[in-house]
């Protein structure tokens, strides 16, 4: 249908169009169709498309004209013979689909769904769609910066911000430490992210895309604005060179406010919780990150306590004695290096969290012992949650193998209970192994029952697409007829030596071979060998009642066959009588199994 959107004036003019204009438009449209048939560069041209275009344009006085934005002067000057429907470019559609798939994979938002794209909301200028590729890439960039912040901010606050570093900062300025420059860039990026969030659409409770700037701002203010704002404040710049004695400690504490952004990251990473490998990786990263934070706190406790202790019994002094780098109060550079302190602190927290505790690094002061108790409590909870999830993930990875062994055990119990003889037992086990390797234990019929009929038809049409496209009998069928036929087809797999049809069986099924080879036997003599694209059964249209087989049908190799019941085929063809004659005339049965002599005799 050719749908346009005119204003009221254009609608009135169209309704008053006279019969002469109608005939002229029809003639011009028909000429345009004839020209398009010979035009080699026309997109998606076909006989059906030309016919639909002719029918559509011939009904122009009866359609509703609805243009969102219409330039009346432009259309007055245009010739009426130039009106035509052009199909969209396939290359453009493929590019758009690839872009949408990449965006869905990259996006960290939980509300990115394909149906939102169909709404095509009218957005204001400088407004960013939350499902756009730019927003997906930007979210990943912010995620990397948040990870950098989560790692380096506690480390910098605990190990790098000391009196000596403060003095160096006074001497050489803000840029003496490369990490300070990186922190400045991170602060700028976080501020830019706040601006972008003020101009990014969102999905409301009614599953509608909201693009109005005022509503976006209110939504952001009620949501994550406060956390993002606190995380983006450059505290080290605001308090720089204040001359206060507590400046160093205050900067270190305030910079940890950036870790609030991890709350948003944790929320966005929930979408990957269904993947076992991703969950395992995230759990291990979380464990390592918490151990890193606790190591920074462990060092900060020892470093703050050490100047006020009369007897140097802290873990830092014990470390200095162990590695032969004793502290000298007159030399600020004396004692273990930053690397020695950090590695030892990290070693202590990892051993405490995993409940190993070798004891070579031990708490001695009350503060250190209290912190160690807290670490042990945290470690017990993390050990139970993380490694419990790890065992569940590993169990899920091997769930398929466990299901196979369970089903195989049931088959063996069935064989033992009913005392199945050895040849038949071997066939049972071989068929089960083959069917499991082919389907991985998935019952397609049980899976399809959970979907609506329209979706079941699409899935069946996809599963039987090779047969419906290559078999000559199905040519000329409408899409509705193919969908109805696909719903009736069943797929069966046969290992070598399996007998599909026995002599004397009632022929209630028509078989189509899609893979493998089968043999037809009469009195143990091979009379025919059938392969891919061959059909065997009986000509159903010639007989009112099903006949009986005149031979045995046995699989020579692993075979895949499509089969359809006699009643189901006749039912579908009765619903499409136009296609029925075409089907029976094009159907070529490779081998007719009907026993005509037996029918006459019996």
């Amino acid at each position: 249908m050719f749908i346009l959107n005119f204003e009221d004036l254009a609608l009135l003019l169209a309704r008053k169009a006279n019969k002469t204009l109608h005939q002229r438009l029809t003639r011009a449209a028909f000429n345009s169709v004839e020209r398009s048939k010979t035009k080699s560069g026309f997109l998606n041209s076909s006989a059906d498309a030309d016919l639909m275009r002719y029918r559509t344009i011939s009904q122009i006085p009866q359609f509703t004209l609805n243009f969102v934005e219409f330039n009346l002067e432009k259309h007055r000057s245009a010739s009426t013979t130039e009106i035509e429907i052009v199909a969209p470019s396939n290359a453009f559609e493929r590019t758009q689909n690839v872009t949408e798939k990449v965006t869905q994979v990259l996006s960290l938002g939980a509300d990115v769904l394909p149906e939102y794209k169909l709404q095509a909301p009218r957005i204001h200028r400088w407004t960013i769609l939350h499902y756009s590729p730019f927003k997906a890439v930007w979210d990943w960039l912010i995620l990397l910066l948040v990870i950098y912040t989560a790692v380096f901010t506690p480390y910098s606050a605990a190990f790098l911000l000391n009196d000596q570093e403060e003095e160096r900062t006074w001497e050489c300025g803000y840029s003496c430490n490369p990490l300070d420059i990186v922190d400045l860039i991170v602060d700028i990026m976080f501020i830019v992210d706040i601006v972008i969030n003020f101009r990014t659409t969102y999905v409301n409770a009614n599953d509608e895309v909201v693009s109005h700037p005022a509503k976006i701002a209110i939504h952001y203010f009620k949501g994550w604005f406060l956390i993002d704002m606190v995380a983006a404040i450059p505290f080290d710049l605001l308090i720089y060179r204040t001359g206060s004695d507590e400046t160093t400690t205050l900067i270190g504490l305030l910079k940890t406010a950036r870790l609030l952004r991890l709350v948003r990251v944790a929320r966005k990473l929930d979408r990957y919780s269904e993947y076992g490998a991703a969950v395992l990786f995230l759990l291990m990263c979380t464990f390592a990150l918490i151990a890193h934070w606790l190591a920074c706190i462990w060092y900060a406790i020892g470093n703050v306590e050490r100047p006020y202790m009369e007897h140097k019994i802290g873990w830092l002094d014990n470390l200095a004695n162990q590695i032969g780098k004793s502290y000298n109060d007159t030399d600020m550079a004396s004692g273990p290096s930053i690397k020695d302190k950090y590695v030892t602190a990290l070693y202590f927290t990892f051993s405490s969290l995993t409940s190993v505790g070798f004891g070579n690094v031990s708490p001695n002061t009350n503060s250190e012992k209290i912190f160690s108790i807290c670490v042990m409590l945290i470690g017990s909870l993390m050990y139970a949650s993380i490694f419990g999830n790890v065992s569940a993930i590993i169990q899920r990875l091997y769930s398929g193998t466990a299901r196979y062994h369970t089903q195989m055990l049931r088959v063996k119990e069935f064989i033992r209970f009913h005392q199945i003889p050895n040849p038949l037992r071997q066939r049972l086990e071989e068929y089960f192994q083959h069917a499991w390797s082919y389907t991985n234990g998935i019952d397609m019929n049980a899976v399809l029952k959970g979907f609506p009929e329209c979706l079941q038809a699409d899935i069946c049409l996809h599963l039987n697409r090779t047969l419906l496209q290559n078999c000559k009998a199905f040519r000329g069928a409408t899409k509705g007829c193919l969908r109805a036929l696909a719903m009736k087809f069943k797929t069966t797999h046969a290992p070598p030596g399996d007998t599909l049809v026995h002599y004397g069986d009632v022929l209630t099924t028509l078989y189509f071979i899609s893979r493998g080879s089968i043999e037809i036997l009469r009195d143990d003599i091979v009379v025919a060998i059938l392969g891919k694209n061959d059909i065997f059964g009986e000509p159903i249209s010639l007989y009112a009642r099903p006949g009986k087989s005149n031979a045995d049908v046995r699989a020579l190799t692993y075979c895949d066959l499509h089969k359809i019941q006699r009643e189901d085929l006749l039912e579908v063809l009765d619903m499409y009588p136009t296609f029925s004659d075409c089907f029976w005339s094009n159907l070529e049965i490779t081998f007719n199994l009907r026993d005509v002599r037996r029918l006459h005799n019996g």
Side-chain angles (χ1 to χ4, degrees), residues 142-199:
I142 294 298
L143 174 62
L144 295 178
L145 295 180
V146 171
I147 294 174
Y148 165 82
T149 300
V151 174
F152 282 96
T153 296
Y155 176 80
S156 176
F159 289 90
L160 301 182
L161 290 180
N162 50 41
D163 296 337
Q164 185 179 0
E165 293 293 330
E166 184 72 14
E167 292 177 0
R168 289 181 56 194
T169 305
W170 276 81
E171 293 174 359
C172 62
Y174 183 76
S175 61
C176 64
N177 191 350
L179 286 179
D180 293 339
I181 301 177
V182 177
D183 289 343
L184 179 61
I185 296 175
V186 171
D187 291 334
I188 295 174
M189 296 293 285
F190 283 171
I191 294 174
V192 174
D193 182 58
I194 294 176
V195 177
I196 289 178
N197 287 330
F198 271 115
R199 305 296 301 178

Side-chain angles (χ1 to χ4, degrees), residues 4-226:
L4 303 170
N5 247 325
F6 274 57
E7 296 182 353
D8 295 337
L9 180 61
L11 177 61
L12 183 61
L13 291 175
R15 288 180 175 176
K16 291 183 179 180
N18 55 24
K19 185 175 181 180
T20 304
L21 179 59
H22 173 220
Q23 295 175 351
R24 187 177 303 169
L25 285 172
T26 304
R27 194 181 309 112
F30 181 78
N31 293 335
S32 176
V33 169
E34 293 297 324
R35 288 196 304 270
S36 66
K37 290 182 180 179
T38 60
K39 189 176 181 180
S40 60
F42 191 79
L43 298 174
N44 298 335
S45 62
S46 63
D48 291 339
D50 295 338
L51 181 60
M52 290 302 297
R53 185 183 297 107
Y54 170 75
R55 290 177 178 175
T56 301
I57 300 178
S58 66
Q59 297 174 0
I60 283 180
Q62 299 162 358
F63 57 55
T64 303
L65 304 176
N66 273 323
F67 264 118
V68 177
E69 294 180 0
F70 177 67
N71 190 344
L72 190 59
E73 295 298 330
K74 179 179 178 181
H75 283 265
R76 282 177 179 172
S77 60
S79 174
T80 56
T81 61
E82 295 177 356
I83 301 177
E84 63 180 33
I85 304 173
V86 181
S89 172
N90 288 335
F92 175 76
E93 289 182 352
R94 286 195 297 268
T95 305
Q96 189 176 16
N97 291 335
V98 171
T99 304
E100 291 178 357
K101 291 179 181 178
V102 172
T103 304
Q104 290 180 19
V105 172
L106 289 179
S107 178
L108 291 175
D111 51 0
V112 178
L113 294 176
E115 55 262 32
Y116 299 141
K117 302 180 181 61
L118 301 178
Q119 298 179 13
R122 292 184 59 188
I123 62 173
H124 295 73
R125 193 176 183 183
W126 305 111
T127 300
I128 302 171
L129 294 173
H130 65 279
Y131 50 78
S132 62
F134 167 77
K135 189 61 171 62
V137 174
W138 178 261
D139 286 343
W140 274 101
L141 178 61
I142 294 298
L143 174 62
L144 295 178
L145 295 180
V146 171
I147 294 174
Y148 165 82
T149 300
V151 174
F152 282 96
T153 296
Y155 176 80
S156 176
F159 289 90
L160 301 182
L161 290 180
N162 50 41
D163 296 337
Q164 185 179 0
E165 293 293 330
E166 184 72 14
E167 292 177 0
R168 289 181 56 194
T169 305
W170 276 81
E171 293 174 359
C172 62
Y174 183 76
S175 61
C176 64
N177 191 350
L179 286 179
D180 293 339
I181 301 177
V182 177
D183 289 343
L184 179 61
I185 296 175
V186 171
D187 291 334
I188 295 174
M189 296 293 285
F190 283 171
I191 294 174
V192 174
D193 182 58
I194 294 176
V195 177
I196 289 178
N197 287 330
F198 271 115
R199 305 296 301 178
T200 303
T201 61
Y202 71 95
V203 180
N204 61 12
N206 297 326
D207 291 340
E208 298 172 347
V209 177
V210 179
S211 60
H212 194 275
K215 294 182 179 179
I216 293 175
I218 294 174
H219 178 264
Y220 187 43
F221 270 119
K222 292 180 179 179
W224 298 97
F225 172 75
L226 183 60

Side-chain angles (χ1 to χ4, degrees), residues 429-442 493 495 558:
E429 293 180 352
E430 289 180 355
Y431 179 80
F432 174 78
Q433 294 173 356
H434 166 71
W436 188 277
S437 63
Y438 198 90
T439 63
N440 201 21
I442 300 173
H493 313 286
Y558 287 106

